[in-house]
């Protein structure tokens, strides 16, 4: 492992900033570095590729041009604008934080670590990013790109996610940070990690390759040392697409927890010992008091999230009027015309299936449900 000294650190930072001056991408929040825009961009780019994040950011700003607009919006509107980005707690936290900012800070994002850290959904990294990028305070931001850059620069022999290596990265990153230029410095590190020092490093284009220890040793492809990750947990789920003529029955997930507050086709998780068909029949009987027969399987959607690997099977059932009346009385349910499905915030695997029904021709009604 190599550590910079007080002479080499500023030289490396200067070469990095010279490169960034002409290599930086024209991202929309870099136009003015408005604190609100920096905040939203940082939250959106968590677990999201840049191109996709930019598209969502631009759509978001059209719908919610300032903090006041987010605070005044309905939760449904906020979640719908977020749909497809996943991790929907982030959107809820944005709205909760927006309300606090309106009430306590006059509608302006605060500029102290204590105040920012007290807002919902703002962890250490996001607080540091806002302070440095929006307010140009001398704070270091460490994301996955920065970890990868320093893992190669210093030739770290352990995963950069370990406590010891994180401490070294923070110490060396602060040593390199040119005071008064944190906004550009942090973005330059992240840009270098995204464009040059990626999983497959493009060392010949790197502006700081002469400072890189792993490059000198020919170990650039072996760094960073990977973090051991647990295997994904398999989850089986089944859902019923309940229809009556042009209408569809949906239920709303509880506000807390995974995909909280989103609309979905009613369903349940089940184990491999039970068939998907029996699981959906049991779910309909226990939750809604209806008996299913003659179901049609319309597809399976696979979706990976957090530490899980989901396999969701969907069955289509047409409801006679007596069953439809019972469903309409469900407090957590809602009946919508199939043309309205695209306007509702739904988990990704439900959105994929709903897309088939927004435009498809519904077959003639067949009584596949009966009251118990």
């Amino acid at each position: 492992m190599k550590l910079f000294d007080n002479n080499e650190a500023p030289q490396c930072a200067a070469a990095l900033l010279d490169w960034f001056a002409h290599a930086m991408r024209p991202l929309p929040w870099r136009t003015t570095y408005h604190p609100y825009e920096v905040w939203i961009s940082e939250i959106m780019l968590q677990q999201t590729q840049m191109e996709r994040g930019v598209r969502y950011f631009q759509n978001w700003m059209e719908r919610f041009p300032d903090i006041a607009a987010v605070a005044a919006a309905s939760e449904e509107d906020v979640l719908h604008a977020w749909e497809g980005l996943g991790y929907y707690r982030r959107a809820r936290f944005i709205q909760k934080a927006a309300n606090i900012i309106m009430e306590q800070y006059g509608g302006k994002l605060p500029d102290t670590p204590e105040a920012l850290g007290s807002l919902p959904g703002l962890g250490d990294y996001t607080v540091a990013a806002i302070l440095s990028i929006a307010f140009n305070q001398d704070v270091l931001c460490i994301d996955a790109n920065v970890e990868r850059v320093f893992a190669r620069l210093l030739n770290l022999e352990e995963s950069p996610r370990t406590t010891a290596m994180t401490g070294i990265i923070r110490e060396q990153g602060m040593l390199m940070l040119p005071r008064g230029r944190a906004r550009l410095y942090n973005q330059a590190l992240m840009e270098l990690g995204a464009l040059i020092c990626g999983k497959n490093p493009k060392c010949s284009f790197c502006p700081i390759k002469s400072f890189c220890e792993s490059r000198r040793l020919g170990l650039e492809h072996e760094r960073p040392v990977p973090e051991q990750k647990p295997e994904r947990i398999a989850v089986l789920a089944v859902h019923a697409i309940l229809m009556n003529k042009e209408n569809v029955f949906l239920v709303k997930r509880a506000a807390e927890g995974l995909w909280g507050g989103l609309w979905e086709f009613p369903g349940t998780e089940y184990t491999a010992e039970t068939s998907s068909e029996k699981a959906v029949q049991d779910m309909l009987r226990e939750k809604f008091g209806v008996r299913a027969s003659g179901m049609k399987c319309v597809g399976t959607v696979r979706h990976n999230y957090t530490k899980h690997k989901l396999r969701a099977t969907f069955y289509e059932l047409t409801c006679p009027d007596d069953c439809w009346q019972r469903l309409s009385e469900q407090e957590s349910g809602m009946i919508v015309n199939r043309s309205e499905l695209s306007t509702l915030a739904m988990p990704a695997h439900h959105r994929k299936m709903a897309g088939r029904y927004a435009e498809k021709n519904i077959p003639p009604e067949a009584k596949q449900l009966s009251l118990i």
Side-chain angles (χ1 to χ4, degrees), residues 65-106:
D66 51 32
I67 294 174
V70 179
S74 68
E75 183 182 89
E76 184 72 29
D77 285 344
V78 171
L79 291 176
H80 193 260
W82 199 265
E83 186 183 305
L85 284 174
Y87 302 93
Y88 290 88
R89 288 181 64 194
R90 294 182 294 169
R92 282 197 198 81
F93 282 149
I94 286 174
Q95 189 168 41
K96 288 179 181 178
N99 280 287
I100 293 172
I101 293 167
M102 294 302 298
E103 294 170 4
Q104 299 183 17
Y105 301 101

Side-chain angles (χ1 to χ4, degrees), residues 34-282:
H34 190 284
Y36 167 60
E37 295 186 355
V38 172
W39 169 34
I40 299 301
S41 71
E42 288 296 334
I43 300 297
M44 282 190 169
L45 290 175
Q46 296 169 10
Q47 309 292 331
T48 305
Q49 293 183 339
M50 181 63 75
E51 182 179 346
R52 195 158 180 257
V54 168
R55 186 169 66 252
Y56 272 86
F57 173 86
Q58 292 170 328
N59 292 336
W60 179 278
M61 288 301 160
E62 288 180 8
R63 297 182 70 168
F64 311 116
D66 51 32
I67 294 174
V70 179
S74 68
E75 183 182 89
E76 184 72 29
D77 285 344
V78 171
L79 291 176
H80 193 260
W82 199 265
E83 186 183 305
L85 284 174
Y87 302 93
Y88 290 88
R89 288 181 64 194
R90 294 182 294 169
R92 282 197 198 81
F93 282 149
I94 286 174
Q95 189 168 41
K96 288 179 181 178
N99 280 287
I100 293 172
I101 293 167
M102 294 302 298
E103 294 170 4
Q104 299 183 17
Y105 301 101
K108 294 183 179 180
L109 201 66
D111 62 356
T112 66
E114 296 77 18
L116 284 172
S118 70
L119 295 174
L122 272 67
D124 292 343
Y125 166 78
T126 308
V127 168
I130 292 171
L131 291 174
S132 67
I133 299 173
F135 298 108
N136 200 29
Q137 296 183 23
D138 290 332
V139 177
L140 179 68
C141 301
I142 302 177
D143 70 352
N145 286 314
V146 175
E147 288 175 344
R148 191 165 53 251
V149 168
F150 276 103
R152 289 191 176 121
L153 269 179
L154 307 177
N155 189 39
L156 299 182
E157 297 176 5
E158 299 177 33
S159 166
R161 297 289 175 88
T162 65
T163 301
M165 296 303 102
T166 297
I168 290 171
I169 290 172
R170 185 166 298 282
E171 176 188 291
Q172 292 287 289
M174 286 301 297
L175 183 64
M176 279 179 56
L177 193 156
R179 300 307 184 257
R181 304 188 71 187
R183 169 183 290 160
L184 296 176
Y185 170 74
N186 280 305
Q187 290 184 99
L189 280 173
M190 291 186 276
E191 200 90 327
L192 185 72
L195 301 181
I196 304 296
C197 196
K199 292 182 179 179
N200 295 308
K202 304 173 183 177
C203 295
S204 60
F205 299 99
C206 180
I208 56 174
K209 60 179 178 289
S210 62
F211 300 90
C212 183
E213 183 70 358
S214 64
R215 169 72 170 173
R216 185 183 72 81
L217 296 173
L219 298 173
E220 62 269 26
H221 291 282
E222 299 177 35
R223 302 289 183 263
V225 175
E227 181 184 25
Q228 288 190 343
K229 295 182 178 180
E231 290 187 12
R232 289 186 182 271
I233 301 168
V235 177
L236 297 174
V238 66
H239 297 275
I241 303 173
L242 304 173
M243 308 195 65
N244 181 280
K245 300 182 175 65
E246 294 288 297
N247 298 318
V248 186
F249 177 72
L250 301 172
V251 292
K252 194 171 192 177
R253 293 183 68 91
E256 299 301 323
L258 184 66
W259 302 310
L262 302 190
W263 292 98
E264 67 178 10
F265 302 110
T268 187
E269 293 181 6
Y270 68 102
T271 62
E273 289 75 26
T274 304
S275 69
S276 60
E277 185 169 345
K278 184 178 186 303
V280 77
Q281 289 172 333
D282 291 346

